[in-house]
Amino acid sequence: MATLADSRLRRLARHETPVAVPPPAVEPEEVCELCGARVPPGHRHVLDLEKRDLLCACKPCSLLFDRDASGGGHYRLVPDRRLALRDFALDDPTWERLSIPVDMAFFFRSAREERVMAYYPSPAGPTESLLGLEAWEEIAAANPVLGDMADDVEALLVDRARGARRHWLVPIEDCYALVGLIRTRWRGFNGGAEVWEAIDGFFEQLDARAAPSGRE
C-alpha cells in the first residue's frame, strides 16, 4: 500500500487546489478498470488484494464481485457503509501503547497476513506502523463493532489530531482519500493552514455521510 501511485491518490483526494493557469486542466473520463466501460461519479471500487490498489468498477462488475467467494481471492468489492462510532472505547494510555507516531491512523485486518495492520497518513504517503497485538486485542474486546469489520476492505479510522477523539468504520477507499489529500496538500513542517482546512472538511463530509453507531 505504500507504493500507491500519485495519480490514484490525486483522484481520491477531491479537494485539490486547481492549477491557476487558464484553461483549467480537464481530468480524463474514468472507466471501469475491469471491463473498460465508462463509470459515473460516485462509482464503486474493487480492491486488488495483491497490489493493494483500488480499481474503478462499473455497476455490473460491482455486482459480480459483491460476494465473499467471488474474485478468486484476488479482488474484493469495497463496501459503502460508513459508521460514526460515537462511544468507541479508546483512552489515551491505550493509544500510547499502539505506538502510532502521529494522531491519525487507520487499521484493517489483512486476510493474507492474518493480522491487523496499522497505517498513518503522511506527506510521503501511507506509512505502516508496527502494531502491538496485545493493545489491539484489548481495543477489539472493548469494541465489538470491530468484530464485524470486513477483512481488507473496511477500516477503523481514528482522528486524534488537535484534541479530537473521533472514530469511524469506513471503506478502505476513504483512508486512501485522506492519504491522498495530505500527500498532495502538505506544505512545510506542520502542513500549513490549507491542508488542515482540507482535513477538517474531509472529516465534516465523512460525518455527514456516516450513520451514527453506538452501544445503545
Side-chain angles (χ1 to χ4, degrees):
M1 191 160 68
T3 59
L4 289 174
D6 284 348
S7 60
R8 175 75 59 194
L9 294 173
R10 286 179 179 276
R11 285 165 56 187
L12 290 171
R14 296 304 185 190
H15 299 283
E16 276 201 83
T17 304
V19 178
V21 178
V26 177
E27 291 190 7
E29 190 173 55
E30 291 188 298
V31 299
C32 176
E33 294 173 87
L34 299 168
C35 73
R38 294 179 181 178
V39 292
H43 55 268
R44 302 287 295 276
H45 292 92
V46 169
L47 181 69
D48 183 327
L49 297 174
E50 291 184 358
K51 299 178 181 179
R52 294 220 58 84
D53 198 7
L54 287 170
L55 305 177
C56 299
C58 64
K59 187 172 183 179
C61 288
S62 297
L63 295 174
L64 179 64
F65 291 106
D66 195 14
R67 301 177 184 85
D68 289 341
S70 63
H74 188 82
Y75 299 111
R76 287 202 67 181
L77 179 67
V78 178
D80 56 3
R81 73 167 175 168
R82 292 168 176 84
L83 301 178
L85 308 178
R86 300 302 190 198
D87 54 3
F88 194 82
L90 177 57
D91 58 22
D92 292 348
T94 304
W95 176 259
E96 294 286 339
R97 290 172 55 203
L98 292 174
S99 300
I100 306 292
V102 299
D103 291 326
M104 286 182 216
F106 59 96
F107 307 80
F108 65 91
R109 279 194 303 268
S110 169
R112 296 194 174 194
E113 297 283 341
E114 297 184 341
R115 64 184 177 95
V116 173
M117 305 180 74
Y119 281 80
Y120 58 89
S122 76
T127 304
E128 183 176 6
S129 179
L130 296 180
L131 187 61
L133 181 61
E134 183 179 347
W136 175 259
E137 288 179 343
E138 290 182 10
I139 295 171
N143 299 280
V145 67
L146 296 178
D148 191 37
M149 187 169 66
D151 290 354
D152 296 298
V153 290
E154 285 190 311
L156 168 67
L157 177 58
V158 178
D159 171 32
R160 297 172 64 89
R162 300 186 293 179
R165 296 293 185 269
R166 300 186 289 186
H167 313 85
W168 298 268
L169 184 66
V170 297
I172 195 70
E173 63 189 45
D174 287 5
C175 303
Y176 288 176
L178 178 61
V179 170
L181 185 154
I182 291 173
R183 184 172 183 174
T184 56
R185 293 195 137 195
W186 192 273
R187 300 291 183 271
F189 180 74
N190 63 0
E194 182 183 347
V195 72
W196 286 106
E197 289 176 6
I199 290 170
D200 288 343
F202 173 89
F203 287 127
E204 287 175 7
Q205 291 183 22
L206 177 56
D207 263 336
R209 300 176 69 187
S213 177
R215 299 177 197 281
E216 296 181 1

PDB file of all heavy atoms in Angstrom, residues 58-85:
ATOM      1  N   CYS A  58     -17.576  -0.548 -12.696  1.00  0.00           N
ATOM      2  CA  CYS A  58     -18.923  -0.209 -13.135  1.00  0.00           C
ATOM      3  C   CYS A  58     -19.931  -1.025 -12.329  1.00  0.00           C
ATOM      4  O   CYS A  58     -19.561  -1.926 -11.576  1.00  0.00           O
ATOM      5  CB  CYS A  58     -19.073  -0.488 -14.632  1.00  0.00           C
ATOM      6  SG  CYS A  58     -18.897  -2.243 -15.070  1.00  0.00           S
ATOM      7  N   LYS A  59     -21.203  -0.722 -12.503  1.00  0.00           N
ATOM      8  CA  LYS A  59     -22.225  -1.416 -11.716  1.00  0.00           C
ATOM      9  C   LYS A  59     -22.254  -2.914 -11.972  1.00  0.00           C
ATOM     10  O   LYS A  59     -22.306  -3.705 -11.019  1.00  0.00           O
ATOM     11  CB  LYS A  59     -23.600  -0.798 -11.970  1.00  0.00           C
ATOM     12  CG  LYS A  59     -24.686  -1.368 -11.063  1.00  0.00           C
ATOM     13  CD  LYS A  59     -25.987  -0.600 -11.205  1.00  0.00           C
ATOM     14  CE  LYS A  59     -27.040  -1.145 -10.239  1.00  0.00           C
ATOM     15  NZ  LYS A  59     -28.314  -0.396 -10.344  1.00  0.00           N
ATOM     16  N   PRO A  60     -22.218  -3.397 -13.242  1.00  0.00           N
ATOM     17  CA  PRO A  60     -22.215  -4.854 -13.454  1.00  0.00           C
ATOM     18  C   PRO A  60     -21.020  -5.546 -12.814  1.00  0.00           C
ATOM     19  O   PRO A  60     -21.163  -6.623 -12.216  1.00  0.00           O
ATOM     20  CB  PRO A  60     -22.182  -4.981 -14.984  1.00  0.00           C
ATOM     21  CG  PRO A  60     -22.820  -3.723 -15.474  1.00  0.00           C
ATOM     22  CD  PRO A  60     -22.360  -2.671 -14.520  1.00  0.00           C
ATOM     23  N   CYS A  61     -19.833  -4.941 -12.899  1.00  0.00           N
ATOM     24  CA  CYS A  61     -18.658  -5.555 -12.279  1.00  0.00           C
ATOM     25  C   CYS A  61     -18.755  -5.503 -10.759  1.00  0.00           C
ATOM     26  O   CYS A  61     -18.315  -6.424 -10.063  1.00  0.00           O
ATOM     27  CB  CYS A  61     -17.386  -4.868 -12.764  1.00  0.00           C
ATOM     28  SG  CYS A  61     -16.950  -5.251 -14.480  1.00  0.00           S
ATOM     29  N   SER A  62     -19.351  -4.419 -10.225  1.00  0.00           N
ATOM     30  CA  SER A  62     -19.554  -4.342  -8.779  1.00  0.00           C
ATOM     31  C   SER A  62     -20.440  -5.486  -8.303  1.00  0.00           C
ATOM     32  O   SER A  62     -20.155  -6.132  -7.286  1.00  0.00           O
ATOM     33  CB  SER A  62     -20.189  -3.003  -8.400  1.00  0.00           C
ATOM     34  OG  SER A  62     -19.347  -1.928  -8.727  1.00  0.00           O
ATOM     35  N   LEU A  63     -21.514  -5.740  -9.042  1.00  0.00           N
ATOM     36  CA  LEU A  63     -22.417  -6.828  -8.677  1.00  0.00           C
ATOM     37  C   LEU A  63     -21.719  -8.173  -8.792  1.00  0.00           C
ATOM     38  O   LEU A  63     -21.954  -9.083  -7.993  1.00  0.00           O
ATOM     39  CB  LEU A  63     -23.664  -6.796  -9.573  1.00  0.00           C
ATOM     40  CG  LEU A  63     -24.566  -5.568  -9.412  1.00  0.00           C
ATOM     41  CD1 LEU A  63     -25.679  -5.592 -10.453  1.00  0.00           C
ATOM     42  CD2 LEU A  63     -25.155  -5.505  -8.008  1.00  0.00           C
ATOM     43  N   LEU A  64     -20.826  -8.297  -9.763  1.00  0.00           N
ATOM     44  CA  LEU A  64     -20.101  -9.552  -9.956  1.00  0.00           C
ATOM     45  C   LEU A  64     -19.235  -9.893  -8.755  1.00  0.00           C
ATOM     46  O   LEU A  64     -19.121 -11.053  -8.368  1.00  0.00           O
ATOM     47  CB  LEU A  64     -19.228  -9.448 -11.218  1.00  0.00           C
ATOM     48  CG  LEU A  64     -18.368 -10.664 -11.567  1.00  0.00           C
ATOM     49  CD1 LEU A  64     -19.231 -11.875 -11.888  1.00  0.00           C
ATOM     50  CD2 LEU A  64     -17.442 -10.335 -12.722  1.00  0.00           C
ATOM     51  N   PHE A  65     -18.627  -8.859  -8.143  1.00  0.00           N
ATOM     52  CA  PHE A  65     -17.712  -9.103  -7.029  1.00  0.00           C
ATOM     53  C   PHE A  65     -18.363  -8.873  -5.669  1.00  0.00           C
ATOM     54  O   PHE A  65     -17.674  -8.850  -4.650  1.00  0.00           O
ATOM     55  CB  PHE A  65     -16.475  -8.223  -7.169  1.00  0.00           C
ATOM     56  CG  PHE A  65     -15.594  -8.616  -8.317  1.00  0.00           C
ATOM     57  CD1 PHE A  65     -15.562  -7.859  -9.466  1.00  0.00           C
ATOM     58  CD2 PHE A  65     -14.810  -9.756  -8.242  1.00  0.00           C
ATOM     59  CE1 PHE A  65     -14.765  -8.217 -10.534  1.00  0.00           C
ATOM     60  CE2 PHE A  65     -13.999 -10.120  -9.296  1.00  0.00           C
ATOM     61  CZ  PHE A  65     -13.969  -9.365 -10.443  1.00  0.00           C
ATOM     62  N   ASP A  66     -19.677  -8.722  -5.648  1.00  0.00           N
ATOM     63  CA  ASP A  66     -20.382  -8.464  -4.399  1.00  0.00           C
ATOM     64  C   ASP A  66     -20.702  -9.759  -3.653  1.00  0.00           C
ATOM     65  O   ASP A  66     -21.812  -9.967  -3.184  1.00  0.00           O
ATOM     66  CB  ASP A  66     -21.671  -7.678  -4.665  1.00  0.00           C
ATOM     67  CG  ASP A  66     -22.247  -7.076  -3.391  1.00  0.00           C
ATOM     68  OD1 ASP A  66     -21.530  -7.033  -2.385  1.00  0.00           O
ATOM     69  OD2 ASP A  66     -23.411  -6.646  -3.421  1.00  0.00           O
ATOM     70  N   ARG A  67     -19.729 -10.610  -3.553  1.00  0.00           N
ATOM     71  CA  ARG A  67     -19.842 -11.862  -2.793  1.00  0.00           C
ATOM     72  C   ARG A  67     -18.468 -12.185  -2.248  1.00  0.00           C
ATOM     73  O   ARG A  67     -17.458 -11.960  -2.909  1.00  0.00           O
ATOM     74  CB  ARG A  67     -20.327 -13.025  -3.669  1.00  0.00           C
ATOM     75  CG  ARG A  67     -21.682 -12.809  -4.325  1.00  0.00           C
ATOM     76  CD  ARG A  67     -22.048 -13.971  -5.232  1.00  0.00           C
ATOM     77  NE  ARG A  67     -23.296 -13.739  -5.946  1.00  0.00           N
ATOM     78  CZ  ARG A  67     -23.386 -13.074  -7.093  1.00  0.00           C
ATOM     79  NH1 ARG A  67     -22.292 -12.551  -7.640  1.00  0.00           N
ATOM     80  NH2 ARG A  67     -24.554 -12.898  -7.679  1.00  0.00           N
ATOM     81  N   ASP A  68     -18.423 -12.761  -1.041  1.00  0.00           N
ATOM     82  CA  ASP A  68     -17.142 -13.074  -0.427  1.00  0.00           C
ATOM     83  C   ASP A  68     -16.336 -14.064  -1.252  1.00  0.00           C
ATOM     84  O   ASP A  68     -15.108 -14.006  -1.305  1.00  0.00           O
ATOM     85  CB  ASP A  68     -17.352 -13.644   0.988  1.00  0.00           C
ATOM     86  CG  ASP A  68     -17.815 -12.572   1.953  1.00  0.00           C
ATOM     87  OD1 ASP A  68     -17.627 -11.378   1.652  1.00  0.00           O
ATOM     88  OD2 ASP A  68     -18.366 -12.922   3.012  1.00  0.00           O
ATOM     89  N   ALA A  69     -17.000 -14.997  -1.915  1.00  0.00           N
ATOM     90  CA  ALA A  69     -16.303 -16.039  -2.650  1.00  0.00           C
ATOM     91  C   ALA A  69     -15.925 -15.615  -4.059  1.00  0.00           C
ATOM     92  O   ALA A  69     -15.184 -16.315  -4.747  1.00  0.00           O
ATOM     93  CB  ALA A  69     -17.155 -17.306  -2.715  1.00  0.00           C
ATOM     94  N   SER A  70     -16.427 -14.482  -4.530  1.00  0.00           N
ATOM     95  CA  SER A  70     -16.116 -14.035  -5.884  1.00  0.00           C
ATOM     96  C   SER A  70     -14.733 -13.409  -5.923  1.00  0.00           C
ATOM     97  O   SER A  70     -14.148 -13.065  -4.902  1.00  0.00           O
ATOM     98  CB  SER A  70     -17.167 -13.030  -6.352  1.00  0.00           C
ATOM     99  OG  SER A  70     -17.137 -11.880  -5.547  1.00  0.00           O
ATOM    100  N   GLY A  71     -14.198 -13.242  -7.116  1.00  0.00           N
ATOM    101  CA  GLY A  71     -12.896 -12.600  -7.267  1.00  0.00           C
ATOM    102  C   GLY A  71     -11.733 -13.546  -7.157  1.00  0.00           C
ATOM    103  O   GLY A  71     -10.578 -13.141  -7.321  1.00  0.00           O
ATOM    104  N   GLY A  72     -11.988 -14.818  -6.858  1.00  0.00           N
ATOM    105  CA  GLY A  72     -10.915 -15.796  -6.810  1.00  0.00           C
ATOM    106  C   GLY A  72      -9.831 -15.477  -5.808  1.00  0.00           C
ATOM    107  O   GLY A  72      -8.678 -15.874  -5.974  1.00  0.00           O
ATOM    108  N   GLY A  73     -10.168 -14.765  -4.748  1.00  0.00           N
ATOM    109  CA  GLY A  73      -9.161 -14.391  -3.765  1.00  0.00           C
ATOM    110  C   GLY A  73      -8.239 -13.281  -4.227  1.00  0.00           C
ATOM    111  O   GLY A  73      -7.274 -12.940  -3.533  1.00  0.00           O
ATOM    112  N   HIS A  74      -8.529 -12.686  -5.373  1.00  0.00           N
ATOM    113  CA  HIS A  74      -7.672 -11.629  -5.929  1.00  0.00           C
ATOM    114  C   HIS A  74      -8.314 -10.244  -5.796  1.00  0.00           C
ATOM    115  O   HIS A  74      -7.621  -9.253  -5.566  1.00  0.00           O
ATOM    116  CB  HIS A  74      -7.382 -11.922  -7.401  1.00  0.00           C
ATOM    117  CG  HIS A  74      -6.368 -11.014  -8.004  1.00  0.00           C
ATOM    118  ND1 HIS A  74      -5.013 -11.206  -7.859  1.00  0.00           N
ATOM    119  CD2 HIS A  74      -6.510  -9.883  -8.745  1.00  0.00           C
ATOM    120  CE1 HIS A  74      -4.360 -10.234  -8.497  1.00  0.00           C
ATOM    121  NE2 HIS A  74      -5.249  -9.416  -9.041  1.00  0.00           N
ATOM    122  N   TYR A  75      -9.639 -10.176  -5.956  1.00  0.00           N
ATOM    123  CA  TYR A  75     -10.357  -8.907  -5.876  1.00  0.00           C
ATOM    124  C   TYR A  75     -11.455  -8.992  -4.816  1.00  0.00           C
ATOM    125  O   TYR A  75     -12.057 -10.044  -4.614  1.00  0.00           O
ATOM    126  CB  TYR A  75     -11.016  -8.557  -7.213  1.00  0.00           C
ATOM    127  CG  TYR A  75     -10.057  -8.383  -8.366  1.00  0.00           C
ATOM    128  CD1 TYR A  75     -10.031  -9.299  -9.418  1.00  0.00           C
ATOM    129  CD2 TYR A  75      -9.184  -7.307  -8.413  1.00  0.00           C
ATOM    130  CE1 TYR A  75      -9.166  -9.142 -10.488  1.00  0.00           C
ATOM    131  CE2 TYR A  75      -8.309  -7.135  -9.473  1.00  0.00           C
ATOM    132  CZ  TYR A  75      -8.306  -8.056 -10.513  1.00  0.00           C
ATOM    133  OH  TYR A  75      -7.445  -7.906 -11.559  1.00  0.00           O
ATOM    134  N   ARG A  76     -11.710  -7.833  -4.186  1.00  0.00           N
ATOM    135  CA  ARG A  76     -12.849  -7.724  -3.281  1.00  0.00           C
ATOM    136  C   ARG A  76     -13.530  -6.386  -3.499  1.00  0.00           C
ATOM    137  O   ARG A  76     -12.855  -5.342  -3.604  1.00  0.00           O
ATOM    138  CB  ARG A  76     -12.429  -7.837  -1.815  1.00  0.00           C
ATOM    139  CG  ARG A  76     -12.035  -9.236  -1.379  1.00  0.00           C
ATOM    140  CD  ARG A  76     -12.142  -9.402   0.120  1.00  0.00           C
ATOM    141  NE  ARG A  76     -13.520  -9.330   0.576  1.00  0.00           N
ATOM    142  CZ  ARG A  76     -13.878  -9.432   1.862  1.00  0.00           C
ATOM    143  NH1 ARG A  76     -12.952  -9.592   2.797  1.00  0.00           N
ATOM    144  NH2 ARG A  76     -15.143  -9.366   2.198  1.00  0.00           N
ATOM    145  N   LEU A  77     -14.851  -6.412  -3.553  1.00  0.00           N
ATOM    146  CA  LEU A  77     -15.610  -5.178  -3.682  1.00  0.00           C
ATOM    147  C   LEU A  77     -15.520  -4.383  -2.380  1.00  0.00           C
ATOM    148  O   LEU A  77     -15.715  -4.927  -1.292  1.00  0.00           O
ATOM    149  CB  LEU A  77     -17.072  -5.485  -4.003  1.00  0.00           C
ATOM    150  CG  LEU A  77     -17.993  -4.272  -4.148  1.00  0.00           C
ATOM    151  CD1 LEU A  77     -17.626  -3.446  -5.372  1.00  0.00           C
ATOM    152  CD2 LEU A  77     -19.454  -4.722  -4.223  1.00  0.00           C
ATOM    153  N   VAL A  78     -15.225  -3.107  -2.500  1.00  0.00           N
ATOM    154  CA  VAL A  78     -15.162  -2.243  -1.325  1.00  0.00           C
ATOM    155  C   VAL A  78     -16.586  -1.880  -0.918  1.00  0.00           C
ATOM    156  O   VAL A  78     -17.362  -1.378  -1.743  1.00  0.00           O
ATOM    157  CB  VAL A  78     -14.352  -0.969  -1.626  1.00  0.00           C
ATOM    158  CG1 VAL A  78     -14.338  -0.045  -0.418  1.00  0.00           C
ATOM    159  CG2 VAL A  78     -12.930  -1.332  -2.037  1.00  0.00           C
ATOM    160  N   PRO A  79     -16.979  -2.138   0.321  1.00  0.00           N
ATOM    161  CA  PRO A  79     -18.343  -1.811   0.754  1.00  0.00           C
ATOM    162  C   PRO A  79     -18.540  -0.299   0.833  1.00  0.00           C
ATOM    163  O   PRO A  79     -17.579   0.474   0.761  1.00  0.00           O
ATOM    164  CB  PRO A  79     -18.441  -2.469   2.138  1.00  0.00           C
ATOM    165  CG  PRO A  79     -17.030  -2.535   2.613  1.00  0.00           C
ATOM    166  CD  PRO A  79     -16.179  -2.731   1.396  1.00  0.00           C
ATOM    167  N   ASP A  80     -19.792   0.104   1.002  1.00  0.00           N
ATOM    168  CA  ASP A  80     -20.081   1.540   1.044  1.00  0.00           C
ATOM    169  C   ASP A  80     -20.696   1.984   2.371  1.00  0.00           C
ATOM    170  O   ASP A  80     -21.238   3.082   2.459  1.00  0.00           O
ATOM    171  CB  ASP A  80     -20.991   1.950  -0.113  1.00  0.00           C
ATOM    172  CG  ASP A  80     -22.295   1.162  -0.140  1.00  0.00           C
ATOM    173  OD1 ASP A  80     -22.516   0.329   0.770  1.00  0.00           O
ATOM    174  OD2 ASP A  80     -23.091   1.361  -1.079  1.00  0.00           O
ATOM    175  N   ARG A  81     -20.606   1.174   3.408  1.00  0.00           N
ATOM    176  CA  ARG A  81     -21.148   1.620   4.693  1.00  0.00           C
ATOM    177  C   ARG A  81     -20.115   2.457   5.436  1.00  0.00           C
ATOM    178  O   ARG A  81     -18.907   2.225   5.374  1.00  0.00           O
ATOM    179  CB  ARG A  81     -21.590   0.436   5.551  1.00  0.00           C
ATOM    180  CG  ARG A  81     -20.466  -0.393   6.151  1.00  0.00           C
ATOM    181  CD  ARG A  81     -20.999  -1.320   7.226  1.00  0.00           C
ATOM    182  NE  ARG A  81     -19.953  -2.211   7.734  1.00  0.00           N
ATOM    183  CZ  ARG A  81     -20.083  -2.948   8.823  1.00  0.00           C
ATOM    184  NH1 ARG A  81     -21.221  -2.919   9.505  1.00  0.00           N
ATOM    185  NH2 ARG A  81     -19.099  -3.727   9.231  1.00  0.00           N
ATOM    186  N   ARG A  82     -20.628   3.448   6.156  1.00  0.00           N
ATOM    187  CA  ARG A  82     -19.806   4.324   6.983  1.00  0.00           C
ATOM    188  C   ARG A  82     -20.520   4.503   8.318  1.00  0.00           C
ATOM    189  O   ARG A  82     -21.670   4.927   8.349  1.00  0.00           O
ATOM    190  CB  ARG A  82     -19.592   5.676   6.295  1.00  0.00           C
ATOM    191  CG  ARG A  82     -18.732   5.589   5.051  1.00  0.00           C
ATOM    192  CD  ARG A  82     -18.762   6.868   4.230  1.00  0.00           C
ATOM    193  NE  ARG A  82     -17.850   6.784   3.104  1.00  0.00           N
ATOM    194  CZ  ARG A  82     -18.158   6.220   1.934  1.00  0.00           C
ATOM    195  NH1 ARG A  82     -19.375   5.688   1.738  1.00  0.00           N
ATOM    196  NH2 ARG A  82     -17.268   6.153   0.963  1.00  0.00           N
ATOM    197  N   LEU A  83     -19.826   4.207   9.392  1.00  0.00           N
ATOM    198  CA  LEU A  83     -20.402   4.310  10.730  1.00  0.00           C
ATOM    199  C   LEU A  83     -19.580   5.283  11.566  1.00  0.00           C
ATOM    200  O   LEU A  83     -18.348   5.164  11.639  1.00  0.00           O
ATOM    201  CB  LEU A  83     -20.418   2.943  11.425  1.00  0.00           C
ATOM    202  CG  LEU A  83     -21.195   1.814  10.750  1.00  0.00           C
ATOM    203  CD1 LEU A  83     -21.059   0.528  11.556  1.00  0.00           C
ATOM    204  CD2 LEU A  83     -22.669   2.194  10.596  1.00  0.00           C
ATOM    205  N   ALA A  84     -20.248   6.243  12.181  1.00  0.00           N
ATOM    206  CA  ALA A  84     -19.600   7.126  13.144  1.00  0.00           C
ATOM    207  C   ALA A  84     -19.721   6.460  14.515  1.00  0.00           C
ATOM    208  O   ALA A  84     -20.821   6.317  15.043  1.00  0.00           O
ATOM    209  CB  ALA A  84     -20.271   8.494  13.142  1.00  0.00           C
ATOM    210  N   LEU A  85     -18.605   6.035  15.064  1.00  0.00           N
ATOM    211  CA  LEU A  85     -18.596   5.265  16.314  1.00  0.00           C
ATOM    212  C   LEU A  85     -18.572   6.233  17.486  1.00  0.00           C
ATOM    213  O   LEU A  85     -17.514   6.638  17.978  1.00  0.00           O
ATOM    214  CB  LEU A  85     -17.386   4.323  16.330  1.00  0.00           C
ATOM    215  CG  LEU A  85     -17.253   3.432  15.084  1.00  0.00           C
ATOM    216  CD1 LEU A  85     -15.990   2.573  15.175  1.00  0.00           C
ATOM    217  CD2 LEU A  85     -18.490   2.558  14.904  1.00  0.00           C
TER     218      LEU A  85
END
